[in-house]
Amino acid sequence: MGDTPDRDKMTEFLNKAEEENWTVRELRLEVEKYKRNKEVEFNLHNSPQTYEVFYADPPWKYSDSLVEGYGASIHHYPSMSIEELCKLPVKEITSENAVLFLWVTSPILAECWDVIKAWGFKYKASFVWDKAKHNYGHYNSVRHELLLICTKGSFLPVNSDLEPSVKTIERTGEHSEKPEEFRRLIDKMYPIGRRIELFARKKFEGWDVWGNEVNE
């Protein structure tokens, strides 16, 4: 894989940038997103095995940009559209029986079902992360995110101790960073099975990871 998109694609980007009056920053983000998506497809298509446990915090693309540097994902990382996420070959690396823990926010809730279906899963339940802090929103003070539990086949938790569906943990860290308590919760519910985190930022023992922000 090269460091730049193919020439025809770059021409397409430049033409679109001129037509839609993109800034240099917007053009750069679109190019980075294209490169990221190609890398995702390559890595997932060439995965050597299938997995039972999936954990994903996708870079959802929103319809507005809000205030620069505050809230909107485009100011922090290249985002992906619903169509782009649906095209990822997640289904190809999914075992016959598997579970997906998928982070979504309220504005994207109506659209995320297409991604779940495209990846071969069905929605079953959810956890609510109460961040205990105000965050900007158009209709209310947004203090929570949803961690959806979706399954393929039959894959109930190994641990029968039921966790509370609402977790109050103060928001800290980088933009969109999730508390590690949720990973520990997944490990407790499903202590066995091959596991992978998509769109990961760090490596963790016992987990395979994919993501363009993964630190060694």
Side-chain angles (χ1 to χ4, degrees), residues 25 29 36 58-80 105 108 175-176 201 213:
R25 184 172 182 276
L29 285 173
R36 173 185 182 150
W60 303 104
K61 184 175 184 178
Y62 296 90
S63 59
D64 59 28
S65 59
L66 300 180
V67 180
E68 178 150 359
Y70 186 77
S73 63
I74 192 173
H75 301 311
H76 302 271
Y77 46 74
S79 59
M80 296 178 69
T105 59
I108 213 73
H175 179 85
S176 189
R201 295 180 177 182
E213 296 183 3

Side-chain angles (χ1 to χ4, degrees), residues 22-204:
W22 288 354
T23 64
V24 173
R25 184 172 182 276
E26 288 172 333
L27 175 60
R28 176 177 57 80
L29 285 173
E30 288 298 319
V31 172
E32 289 178 355
K33 181 176 72 173
Y34 173 80
K35 292 167 62 179
R36 173 185 182 150
N37 293 351
K38 298 299 289 186
E39 181 181 2
V40 175
E41 294 174 7
F42 178 84
N43 289 343
L44 294 182
H45 273 302
N46 290 277
S47 177
Q49 62 182 358
T50 58
Y51 298 89
E52 284 78 39
V53 181
F54 289 78
Y55 185 34
D57 185 13
W60 303 104
K61 184 175 184 178
Y62 296 90
S63 59
D64 59 28
S65 59
L66 300 180
V67 180
E68 178 150 359
Y70 186 77
S73 63
I74 192 173
H75 301 311
H76 302 271
Y77 46 74
S79 59
M80 296 178 69
S81 67
I82 296 297
E83 182 180 11
E84 290 166 337
L85 290 168
C86 286
K87 288 180 179 179
L88 296 180
V90 174
K91 187 183 294 187
E92 297 178 11
I93 61 170
T94 305
S95 297
E96 182 178 353
N97 299 300
V99 62
L100 165 68
F101 290 84
L102 179 70
W103 283 106
V104 301
T105 59
S106 294
I108 213 73
L109 188 57
E111 301 174 81
C112 75
W113 311 113
D114 290 340
V115 176
I116 293 171
K117 182 178 180 180
W119 289 1
F121 291 88
K122 293 182 179 180
Y123 169 74
K124 295 296 181 180
S126 65
F127 286 103
V128 176
W129 171 28
D130 173 13
K131 303 178 182 182
K133 281 186 177 180
H134 161 77
N135 193 31
Y136 182 84
H138 290 300
Y139 300 98
N140 54 18
S141 172
V142 184
R143 287 181 35 159
H144 75 284
E145 286 191 42
L146 301 169
L147 181 60
L148 306 186
I149 306 172
C150 312
T151 62
K152 174 186 176 183
S154 177
F155 205 57
L156 292 171
V158 175
N159 192 319
S160 60
D161 294 337
L162 296 179
E163 291 283 336
S165 62
V166 178
K167 298 285 186 179
T168 301
I169 307 170
E170 187 169 325
R171 173 172 52 87
T172 59
E174 298 179 5
H175 179 85
S176 189
E177 186 175 351
K178 304 304 187 291
E180 279 308 306
E181 181 171 334
F182 288 100
R183 184 189 305 280
R184 291 191 289 270
L185 182 152
I186 295 171
D187 285 335
K188 179 181 177 182
M189 294 174 66
Y190 293 93
I192 60 175
R194 293 182 296 274
R195 56 199 60 227
I196 184 171
E197 180 177 358
L198 307 178
F199 312 104
R201 295 180 177 182
K202 302 175 183 177
K203 291 184 177 180
F204 292 91

Side-chain angles (χ1 to χ4, degrees), residues 6-24:
D6 59 82
R7 183 172 299 177
D8 290 342
K9 193 66 179 181
M10 179 58 76
T11 300
E12 178 184 329
F13 280 132
L14 292 173
N15 290 337
K16 190 171 183 181
E18 183 176 357
E19 292 172 1
E20 300 184 9
N21 295 316
W22 288 354
T23 64
V24 173

